[in-house]
Amino acid sequence: TDPQGINWGGTNLFLTPRILARFGQLYLADGVWNGQRLLPIGWVKNSFSIQSEGWLDYGAYGYLWWLSSAINYK
């Protein structure tokens, strides 16, 4: 939420560099954090595959990510 307590939902995600690095490490480790699996097997790979067709100029959508139409994710 923002300082006024409003949650914007799917936009305006604010992460510190440290938290973003942790998120990146979770993805680099295929969903495993400190030896514990937090994401199902295959989730990371599937998150970068097209799950929904694009909207306007955003390209396609995976799990959590807008995928650029300039990159082949298949």
Side-chain angles (χ1 to χ4, degrees):
T1 59
D2 68 11
Q4 289 78 37
I6 299 171
N7 187 327
W8 285 77
T11 62
N12 296 330
L13 178 64
F14 298 100
L15 302 173
T16 65
R18 184 176 301 255
I19 296 297
L20 186 57
R22 288 179 179 177
F23 191 78
Q25 184 60 46
L26 176 68
Y27 260 59
L28 286 172
D30 193 31
V32 176
W33 184 260
N34 289 332
Q36 181 180 357
R37 177 158 293 282
L38 300 181
L39 299 174
I41 294 172
W43 173 270
V44 172
K45 182 178 179 182
N46 288 336
S47 76
F48 291 110
S49 63
I50 296 171
Q51 303 299 324
S52 176
E53 292 301 316
W55 178 69
L56 298 176
D57 293 330
Y58 290 108
Y61 192 73
Y63 299 143
L64 308 175
W65 314 111
W66 284 106
L67 307 172
S68 170
S69 60
I71 300 172
N72 183 2
Y73 290 93
K74 294 181 180 178

